[in-house]
Amino acid sequence: MPTAGWWEALWPDPAGVLAAVGIKPGMEVIDLCSGDGWFTLQIAKIARDVIAIDIDFNMLEVARDRLNESSVANCDFVAGDAYELAKLVAGPADFVFMANAFHGVPDRARLARAVRAALKPGGHFATVNWHQRPREETIALGEPRGPKTELRLSPQRTIEAVESSGLKLAHLVEVQPYHYGTVFRQPPA
Ligand SMILES: C[S@@+](CC[C@H](N)C(=O)[O-])C[C@H]1O[C@@H](n2cnc3c(N)ncnc32)[C@H](O)[C@@H]1O
């Protein structure tokens, strides 16, 4: 998880990112690999309910404190492995959101299958990924930031991995200055 300061500088409008990928009022949303809750808080302000899932219990506690400070109570915090998503939630969701984590998944096709199993018919899965640009070019607060250059994924590699699960690309969005979003749809039943 990035250190505080530059993360906030890089994401001054997290709610705008969520709107761009299609998170809407009334949805049941899973924030997968939720980290310290920077996006979770904004999702909770839009959605009906949120489940924040992270493998790191300490990160979930930071996220819990963040939401408590804003008196936002429509979020459950679940510690667990993203591959086991279907076992971590009680039922399927309208939307699974995953920011800044898909590049680090060892078996992305497996993860995509797990996400598909946790989505309602017609539900959506969005990844927000660093563009495949050299790390020295992605500067925030004066320093190169983000994952190593060789870990970064092109939109095409992301799409291939996720579509292998049966989810279908719905749209691609630019997320300035250094990210893109891929949004996939679970076919209707
Ligand atoms: C770079 S942080 C991104 C956090 C958040 N999504 C954001 O964009 O602000 C990546 C997060 O993924 C979590 N993570 C890594 N592997 C995971 C796994 N197998 N299952 C669940 N969470 C995982 C890490 O603990 C970390 O909090």
mmCIF file of all heavy atoms in Angstrom, residues 50-76:
data_model
loop_
_atom_site.group_PDB
_atom_site.id
_atom_site.type_symbol
_atom_site.label_atom_id
_atom_site.label_comp_id
_atom_site.label_asym_id
_atom_site.label_seq_id
_atom_site.Cartn_x
_atom_site.Cartn_y
_atom_site.Cartn_z
ATOM 1 N N VAL A 50 -21.467 -1.809 0.846
ATOM 2 C CA VAL A 50 -20.132 -2.137 0.353
ATOM 3 C C VAL A 50 -19.539 -3.243 1.215
ATOM 4 O O VAL A 50 -19.741 -3.262 2.437
ATOM 5 C CB VAL A 50 -19.183 -0.921 0.423
ATOM 6 C CG1 VAL A 50 -17.865 -1.245 -0.273
ATOM 7 C CG2 VAL A 50 -19.812 0.304 -0.169
ATOM 8 N N ILE A 51 -18.838 -4.145 0.571
ATOM 9 C CA ILE A 51 -17.984 -5.090 1.301
ATOM 10 C C ILE A 51 -16.550 -4.804 0.877
ATOM 11 O O ILE A 51 -16.217 -4.905 -0.315
ATOM 12 C CB ILE A 51 -18.355 -6.551 0.995
ATOM 13 C CG1 ILE A 51 -19.825 -6.807 1.303
ATOM 14 C CG2 ILE A 51 -17.468 -7.492 1.808
ATOM 15 C CD1 ILE A 51 -20.312 -8.181 0.873
ATOM 16 N N ALA A 52 -15.731 -4.411 1.836
ATOM 17 C CA ALA A 52 -14.305 -4.157 1.578
ATOM 18 C C ALA A 52 -13.543 -5.428 1.921
ATOM 19 O O ALA A 52 -13.645 -5.942 3.038
ATOM 20 C CB ALA A 52 -13.816 -2.994 2.436
ATOM 21 N N ILE A 53 -12.804 -5.932 0.941
ATOM 22 C CA ILE A 53 -12.061 -7.185 1.139
ATOM 23 C C ILE A 53 -10.586 -6.918 0.909
ATOM 24 O O ILE A 53 -10.197 -6.335 -0.114
ATOM 25 C CB ILE A 53 -12.563 -8.273 0.172
ATOM 26 C CG1 ILE A 53 -14.024 -8.617 0.491
ATOM 27 C CG2 ILE A 53 -11.678 -9.518 0.247
ATOM 28 C CD1 ILE A 53 -14.659 -9.590 -0.482
ATOM 29 N N ASP A 54 -9.770 -7.355 1.855
ATOM 30 C CA ASP A 54 -8.321 -7.251 1.695
ATOM 31 C C ASP A 54 -7.681 -8.395 2.476
ATOM 32 O O ASP A 54 -8.222 -8.849 3.489
ATOM 33 C CB ASP A 54 -7.804 -5.899 2.213
ATOM 34 C CG ASP A 54 -6.461 -5.536 1.609
ATOM 35 O OD1 ASP A 54 -5.440 -6.127 2.021
ATOM 36 O OD2 ASP A 54 -6.428 -4.679 0.697
ATOM 37 N N ILE A 55 -6.530 -8.835 1.979
ATOM 38 C CA ILE A 55 -5.837 -9.934 2.658
ATOM 39 C C ILE A 55 -5.119 -9.439 3.909
ATOM 40 O O ILE A 55 -4.770 -10.236 4.783
ATOM 41 C CB ILE A 55 -4.863 -10.625 1.674
ATOM 42 C CG1 ILE A 55 -4.593 -12.062 2.100
ATOM 43 C CG2 ILE A 55 -3.579 -9.814 1.494
ATOM 44 C CD1 ILE A 55 -4.010 -12.917 0.991
ATOM 45 N N ASP A 56 -4.931 -8.137 3.995
ATOM 46 C CA ASP A 56 -4.163 -7.538 5.092
ATOM 47 C C ASP A 56 -5.122 -6.945 6.118
ATOM 48 O O ASP A 56 -5.743 -5.895 5.886
ATOM 49 C CB ASP A 56 -3.240 -6.456 4.502
ATOM 50 C CG ASP A 56 -2.320 -5.843 5.546
ATOM 51 O OD1 ASP A 56 -2.647 -5.879 6.738
ATOM 52 O OD2 ASP A 56 -1.278 -5.294 5.138
ATOM 53 N N PHE A 57 -5.220 -7.603 7.264
ATOM 54 C CA PHE A 57 -6.144 -7.173 8.309
ATOM 55 C C PHE A 57 -5.845 -5.732 8.755
ATOM 56 O O PHE A 57 -6.760 -4.951 9.037
ATOM 57 C CB PHE A 57 -6.045 -8.140 9.498
ATOM 58 C CG PHE A 57 -6.980 -7.812 10.612
ATOM 59 C CD1 PHE A 57 -8.322 -8.188 10.553
ATOM 60 C CD2 PHE A 57 -6.541 -7.107 11.720
ATOM 61 C CE1 PHE A 57 -9.195 -7.859 11.578
ATOM 62 C CE2 PHE A 57 -7.407 -6.780 12.754
ATOM 63 C CZ PHE A 57 -8.740 -7.162 12.674
ATOM 64 N N ASN A 58 -4.565 -5.382 8.814
ATOM 65 C CA ASN A 58 -4.201 -4.031 9.269
ATOM 66 C C ASN A 58 -4.731 -2.956 8.319
ATOM 67 O O ASN A 58 -5.164 -1.880 8.751
ATOM 68 C CB ASN A 58 -2.680 -3.903 9.417
ATOM 69 C CG ASN A 58 -2.161 -4.790 10.523
ATOM 70 O OD1 ASN A 58 -2.797 -4.935 11.564
ATOM 71 N ND2 ASN A 58 -1.020 -5.408 10.289
ATOM 72 N N MET A 59 -4.692 -3.250 7.018
ATOM 73 C CA MET A 59 -5.237 -2.302 6.034
ATOM 74 C C MET A 59 -6.741 -2.122 6.260
ATOM 75 O O MET A 59 -7.277 -1.010 6.171
ATOM 76 C CB MET A 59 -4.987 -2.812 4.616
ATOM 77 C CG MET A 59 -3.632 -2.510 4.095
ATOM 78 S SD MET A 59 -3.443 -0.726 3.913
ATOM 79 C CE MET A 59 -1.827 -0.531 4.584
ATOM 80 N N LEU A 60 -7.420 -3.237 6.528
ATOM 81 C CA LEU A 60 -8.863 -3.137 6.774
ATOM 82 C C LEU A 60 -9.163 -2.273 7.990
ATOM 83 O O LEU A 60 -10.155 -1.533 8.014
ATOM 84 C CB LEU A 60 -9.458 -4.535 6.976
ATOM 85 C CG LEU A 60 -9.563 -5.402 5.729
ATOM 86 C CD1 LEU A 60 -10.025 -6.805 6.105
ATOM 87 C CD2 LEU A 60 -10.522 -4.806 4.704
ATOM 88 N N GLU A 61 -8.301 -2.348 8.999
ATOM 89 C CA GLU A 61 -8.524 -1.535 10.198
ATOM 90 C C GLU A 61 -8.341 -0.043 9.885
ATOM 91 O O GLU A 61 -9.082 0.800 10.391
ATOM 92 C CB GLU A 61 -7.573 -1.971 11.319
ATOM 93 C CG GLU A 61 -7.951 -3.314 11.918
ATOM 94 C CD GLU A 61 -9.377 -3.323 12.459
ATOM 95 O OE1 GLU A 61 -9.662 -2.609 13.426
ATOM 96 O OE2 GLU A 61 -10.226 -4.050 11.885
ATOM 97 N N VAL A 62 -7.360 0.264 9.031
ATOM 98 C CA VAL A 62 -7.187 1.674 8.613
ATOM 99 C C VAL A 62 -8.430 2.132 7.856
ATOM 100 O O VAL A 62 -8.947 3.240 8.071
ATOM 101 C CB VAL A 62 -5.920 1.830 7.748
ATOM 102 C CG1 VAL A 62 -5.799 3.257 7.223
ATOM 103 C CG2 VAL A 62 -4.673 1.438 8.533
ATOM 104 N N ALA A 63 -8.921 1.261 6.975
ATOM 105 C CA ALA A 63 -10.124 1.606 6.203
ATOM 106 C C ALA A 63 -11.325 1.782 7.134
ATOM 107 O O ALA A 63 -12.113 2.724 6.980
ATOM 108 C CB ALA A 63 -10.403 0.517 5.165
ATOM 109 N N ARG A 64 -11.436 0.883 8.093
ATOM 110 C CA ARG A 64 -12.569 0.976 9.038
ATOM 111 C C ARG A 64 -12.533 2.317 9.770
ATOM 112 O O ARG A 64 -13.560 2.997 9.906
ATOM 113 C CB ARG A 64 -12.494 -0.180 10.036
ATOM 114 C CG ARG A 64 -13.747 -0.334 10.899
ATOM 115 C CD ARG A 64 -13.481 -1.246 12.086
ATOM 116 N NE ARG A 64 -13.054 -2.581 11.706
ATOM 117 C CZ ARG A 64 -13.881 -3.594 11.410
ATOM 118 N NH1 ARG A 64 -15.182 -3.398 11.434
ATOM 119 N NH2 ARG A 64 -13.406 -4.789 11.109
ATOM 120 N N ASP A 65 -11.343 2.722 10.219
ATOM 121 C CA ASP A 65 -11.218 4.011 10.917
ATOM 122 C C ASP A 65 -11.595 5.168 9.990
ATOM 123 O O ASP A 65 -12.250 6.131 10.402
ATOM 124 C CB ASP A 65 -9.777 4.210 11.399
ATOM 125 C CG ASP A 65 -9.441 3.304 12.574
ATOM 126 O OD1 ASP A 65 -10.361 2.721 13.160
ATOM 127 O OD2 ASP A 65 -8.234 3.171 12.877
ATOM 128 N N ARG A 66 -11.183 5.058 8.726
ATOM 129 C CA ARG A 66 -11.489 6.130 7.768
ATOM 130 C C ARG A 66 -13.005 6.306 7.628
ATOM 131 O O ARG A 66 -13.520 7.428 7.642
ATOM 132 C CB ARG A 66 -10.875 5.800 6.405
ATOM 133 C CG ARG A 66 -10.995 6.915 5.381
ATOM 134 C CD ARG A 66 -10.653 6.432 3.989
ATOM 135 N NE ARG A 66 -9.268 6.055 3.789
ATOM 136 C CZ ARG A 66 -8.270 6.908 3.559
ATOM 137 N NH1 ARG A 66 -8.511 8.206 3.527
ATOM 138 N NH2 ARG A 66 -7.032 6.482 3.362
ATOM 139 N N LEU A 67 -13.718 5.191 7.501
ATOM 140 C CA LEU A 67 -15.170 5.288 7.335
ATOM 141 C C LEU A 67 -15.843 5.741 8.626
ATOM 142 O O LEU A 67 -16.804 6.528 8.592
ATOM 143 C CB LEU A 67 -15.761 3.964 6.831
ATOM 144 C CG LEU A 67 -15.776 3.854 5.293
ATOM 145 C CD1 LEU A 67 -14.398 3.703 4.685
ATOM 146 C CD2 LEU A 67 -16.698 2.736 4.825
ATOM 147 N N ASN A 68 -15.335 5.255 9.756
ATOM 148 C CA ASN A 68 -15.901 5.680 11.038
ATOM 149 C C ASN A 68 -15.766 7.187 11.222
ATOM 150 O O ASN A 68 -16.698 7.849 11.698
ATOM 151 C CB ASN A 68 -15.208 4.950 12.191
ATOM 152 C CG ASN A 68 -15.708 3.532 12.353
ATOM 153 O OD1 ASN A 68 -16.766 3.169 11.831
ATOM 154 N ND2 ASN A 68 -14.943 2.719 13.067
ATOM 155 N N GLU A 69 -14.604 7.720 10.845
ATOM 156 C CA GLU A 69 -14.380 9.168 10.993
ATOM 157 C C GLU A 69 -15.377 9.979 10.182
ATOM 158 O O GLU A 69 -15.695 11.120 10.523
ATOM 159 C CB GLU A 69 -12.953 9.531 10.551
ATOM 160 C CG GLU A 69 -11.900 9.197 11.582
ATOM 161 C CD GLU A 69 -10.489 9.271 11.011
ATOM 162 O OE1 GLU A 69 -10.306 9.868 9.924
ATOM 163 O OE2 GLU A 69 -9.579 8.708 11.650
ATOM 164 N N SER A 70 -15.863 9.380 9.090
ATOM 165 C CA SER A 70 -16.850 10.069 8.258
ATOM 166 C C SER A 70 -18.274 9.633 8.581
ATOM 167 O O SER A 70 -19.210 9.972 7.835
ATOM 168 C CB SER A 70 -16.556 9.801 6.775
ATOM 169 O OG SER A 70 -15.345 10.397 6.410
ATOM 170 N N SER A 71 -18.426 8.856 9.652
ATOM 171 C CA SER A 71 -19.750 8.368 10.080
ATOM 172 C C SER A 71 -20.469 7.631 8.958
ATOM 173 O O SER A 71 -21.686 7.773 8.783
ATOM 174 C CB SER A 71 -20.609 9.535 10.591
ATOM 175 O OG SER A 71 -19.964 10.197 11.640
ATOM 176 N N VAL A 72 -19.704 6.855 8.203
ATOM 177 C CA VAL A 72 -20.272 6.043 7.121
ATOM 178 C C VAL A 72 -20.346 4.602 7.625
ATOM 179 O O VAL A 72 -19.330 4.032 8.030
ATOM 180 C CB VAL A 72 -19.395 6.144 5.852
ATOM 181 C CG1 VAL A 72 -19.834 5.142 4.809
ATOM 182 C CG2 VAL A 72 -19.465 7.556 5.292
ATOM 183 N N ALA A 73 -21.548 4.025 7.616
ATOM 184 C CA ALA A 73 -21.743 2.744 8.316
ATOM 185 C C ALA A 73 -22.228 1.611 7.418
ATOM 186 O O ALA A 73 -22.505 0.521 7.907
ATOM 187 C CB ALA A 73 -22.740 2.959 9.463
ATOM 188 N N ASN A 74 -22.335 1.833 6.119
ATOM 189 C CA ASN A 74 -22.897 0.800 5.234
ATOM 190 C C ASN A 74 -21.812 -0.068 4.603
ATOM 191 O O ASN A 74 -21.898 -0.434 3.433
ATOM 192 C CB ASN A 74 -23.756 1.448 4.149
ATOM 193 C CG ASN A 74 -22.973 2.421 3.294
ATOM 194 O OD1 ASN A 74 -21.957 2.960 3.726
ATOM 195 N ND2 ASN A 74 -23.450 2.665 2.086
ATOM 196 N N CYS A 75 -20.776 -0.396 5.387
ATOM 197 C CA CYS A 75 -19.661 -1.187 4.859
ATOM 198 C C CYS A 75 -19.274 -2.289 5.826
ATOM 199 O O CYS A 75 -19.150 -2.050 7.034
ATOM 200 C CB CYS A 75 -18.462 -0.265 4.613
ATOM 201 S SG CYS A 75 -17.051 -1.102 3.850
ATOM 202 N N ASP A 76 -19.104 -3.492 5.284
ATOM 203 C CA ASP A 76 -18.525 -4.600 6.053
ATOM 204 C C ASP A 76 -17.078 -4.773 5.616
ATOM 205 O O ASP A 76 -16.744 -4.570 4.435
ATOM 206 C CB ASP A 76 -19.291 -5.904 5.793
ATOM 207 C CG ASP A 76 -20.673 -5.880 6.409
ATOM 208 O OD1 ASP A 76 -20.828 -5.245 7.475
ATOM 209 O OD2 ASP A 76 -21.591 -6.482 5.831
#
